Amino acid sequence: MSSITSRPSDNAILPQTAPEQRWQQAWRETDTRLRSTTRAAAATAPVVSRSARVNKLDADLLDTELSDMLREPVTKALSLLKPGLIDTYRLEVDTLIRALLFWLSVGSHRRATYGQALQNLTYKTSNNGRLGWRIHLFGIVSIGGGYLWTQITKRMSYDGWADAPRKSLRNRLWRLASWMERMSRLAALANLLAFFSAGQYKSVVERLLGLRLVNARPQLSHSVSFEFLNRQLVWHAFTEFVMFALPLVNPARARAWVVRSTRSLLRLPQISIDPKVAELPGNVCAICYTNADKQTDTQVDLESCVCANPYITECGHRFCYVCVKTQMMAEGDEFVCLRCGCRVTSICAYSET
């Protein structure tokens, strides 16, 4: 019988280690890696989530638009009570609206105005201090302080403190107020340049109180879509262009041109001649008669429409000088005679002889 040679098993070849030793060795390796990762993260500068400067400026524009929307119905209501009342208390009304919006938004748990909330912004302190008293002090200084300063300077200007003798107390206080106003404007300019550079404090009061606007939800950097902002930008540019171009357009001439063009495309006469106007006596102004007929439902008195200072057109019809000249200035080359439909380009004084 052949001899059987036994092969040593794998357990006899590989070194034996207890399960506890393998676990401890894996933990030591993992702990070493965690410590190195922690040291590397500590040495790296922290990433601070900053809100865009344009968001903060857009928030101010939204708040201004909201104030204007609320001011309009208040103005109409006060104008019904007494004419000129809104002009007397315009500053008080504006201050009251701003204070009301501030108390309903920033003064509550929101910690942000309505415009800032739309831009995903909220107030935070720079040194993690208490926020409540700073918010209320910010509202008092920015709204109440501005109102008091405007009233004081207005009273000083009305009473003529600037014209008082140079060494008098009133003149000194006026010069002090003027110096303080210039310094505040310089500080606002310096703060604006710093805001463009760092993007933290957009006003001097916010910088003094340590109030910063940050993202309310860092994972949502912009609550208003860029498509909406683009539409608003295009619409704003379009309305500005319309407001610029509208005074350059003559509405009466444009309307007359549209009517003439439409009627010419339809192969119709330039104007639709009223038979009553065509049959008027020669000394009656057709323009006066047409205007009077539109304003009354009864028969028009022809004696009241007799031409005053009559002028005659190229087609031989008479009109009041004021009536025909006004129509020619309004419609230009598009003015046509109401009696026959001929285009009128020149007139001359009418003489019986």
Side-chain angles (χ1 to χ4, degrees):
M1 188 171 80
S2 61
S3 62
I4 299 175
T5 60
S6 62
R7 191 178 62 167
S9 63
D10 294 340
N11 294 335
I13 296 175
L14 297 176
Q16 295 291 328
T17 56
E20 292 80 2
Q21 295 179 355
R22 291 197 300 270
W23 181 85
Q24 292 176 0
Q25 182 179 359
W27 168 249
R28 284 194 294 268
E29 293 177 358
T30 304
D31 185 60
T32 303
R33 294 177 182 176
L34 287 175
R35 290 179 183 275
S36 61
T37 304
T38 304
R39 287 193 296 268
T44 305
V47 178
V48 181
S49 176
R50 292 185 178 180
S51 55
R53 299 166 181 82
V54 66
N55 291 8
K56 300 175 182 179
L57 298 178
D58 286 343
D60 287 345
L61 293 178
L62 291 173
D63 292 331
T64 303
E65 292 293 333
L66 180 59
S67 300
D68 294 340
M69 291 174 59
L70 293 178
R71 186 184 302 112
E72 183 177 359
V74 174
T75 302
K76 291 182 178 179
L78 292 179
S79 63
L80 295 176
L81 295 177
K82 182 180 179 181
L85 185 63
I86 185 61
D87 297 329
T88 306
Y89 297 101
R90 185 177 299 275
L91 180 61
E92 286 75 8
V93 171
D94 293 345
T95 304
L96 182 60
I97 292 175
R98 291 180 56 195
L100 180 62
L101 291 176
F102 184 87
W103 180 75
L104 292 176
S105 57
V106 184
S108 62
H109 63 281
R110 298 175 184 271
R111 300 305 187 214
T113 63
Y114 294 109
Q116 293 167 359
L118 286 175
Q119 296 293 332
N120 189 33
L121 298 173
T122 186
Y123 276 112
K124 295 289 185 181
T125 55
S126 57
N127 53 1
N128 295 327
R130 296 188 60 183
L131 186 63
W133 68 270
R134 301 184 188 216
I135 288 291
H136 292 89
L137 185 58
F138 171 70
I140 293 173
V141 173
S142 60
I143 300 177
Y147 169 76
L148 290 178
W149 180 258
T150 304
Q151 289 287 56
I152 290 173
T153 55
K154 184 188 296 185
R155 176 56 59 185
M156 294 170 67
S157 178
Y158 286 166
D159 293 344
W161 288 27
D163 300 329
R166 185 170 182 81
K167 294 185 179 180
S168 62
L169 179 61
R170 290 192 171 187
N171 188 269
R172 291 179 180 179
L173 291 177
W174 172 260
R175 285 186 282 125
L176 176 61
S178 301
W179 178 83
M180 292 174 62
E181 187 170 358
R182 288 195 297 270
M183 291 299 103
S184 64
R185 292 182 179 179
L186 289 176
L189 177 60
N191 182 82
L192 181 63
L193 297 177
F195 171 73
F196 287 155
S197 176
Q200 292 187 354
Y201 307 99
K202 68 181 173 57
S203 68
V204 178
V205 181
E206 291 178 355
R207 183 177 296 274
L208 294 177
L209 295 177
L211 293 174
R212 295 187 299 113
L213 282 173
V214 298
N215 289 327
R217 289 173 290 175
Q219 69 277 9
L220 183 62
S221 59
H222 212 286
S223 296
V224 181
S225 64
F226 285 102
E227 290 80 8
F228 174 77
L229 293 179
N230 290 335
R231 289 197 299 269
Q232 290 294 104
L233 182 62
V234 172
W235 178 251
H236 179 72
F238 176 73
T239 52
E240 289 290 333
F241 172 75
V242 170
M243 295 300 294
F244 168 77
L246 192 59
L248 305 179
V249 178
N250 189 334
R253 181 177 298 183
R255 176 181 174 276
W257 179 82
V258 171
V259 172
R260 307 291 188 275
S261 301
T262 304
R263 296 184 68 89
S264 63
L265 289 175
L266 299 176
R267 300 182 180 275
L268 297 174
Q270 291 187 351
I271 62 170
S272 177
I273 300 176
D274 189 354
K276 295 188 299 183
V277 177
E279 296 175 358
L280 290 174
N283 63 339
V284 174
C285 176
I287 300 177
C288 291
Y289 179 85
T290 302
N291 295 335
D293 188 52
K294 291 179 180 179
Q295 296 175 1
T296 181
D297 297 332
T298 60
Q299 185 69 25
V300 178
D301 183 13
L302 297 181
E303 294 295 332
S304 63
C305 300
V306 174
C307 295
N309 190 12
Y311 267 63
I312 190 170
T313 61
E314 300 151 306
C315 56
H317 296 112
R318 284 175 284 173
F319 297 91
C320 299
Y321 172 76
V322 175
C323 296
V324 68
K325 193 63 177 179
T326 302
Q327 291 295 113
M328 292 179 65
M329 292 176 62
E331 300 184 12
D333 297 337
E334 301 297 331
F335 174 62
V336 295
C337 179
L338 300 181
R339 290 176 178 265
C340 61
C342 296
R343 184 168 296 183
V344 177
T345 58
S346 62
I347 56 175
C348 61
Y350 174 76
S351 177
E352 294 288 347
T353 58

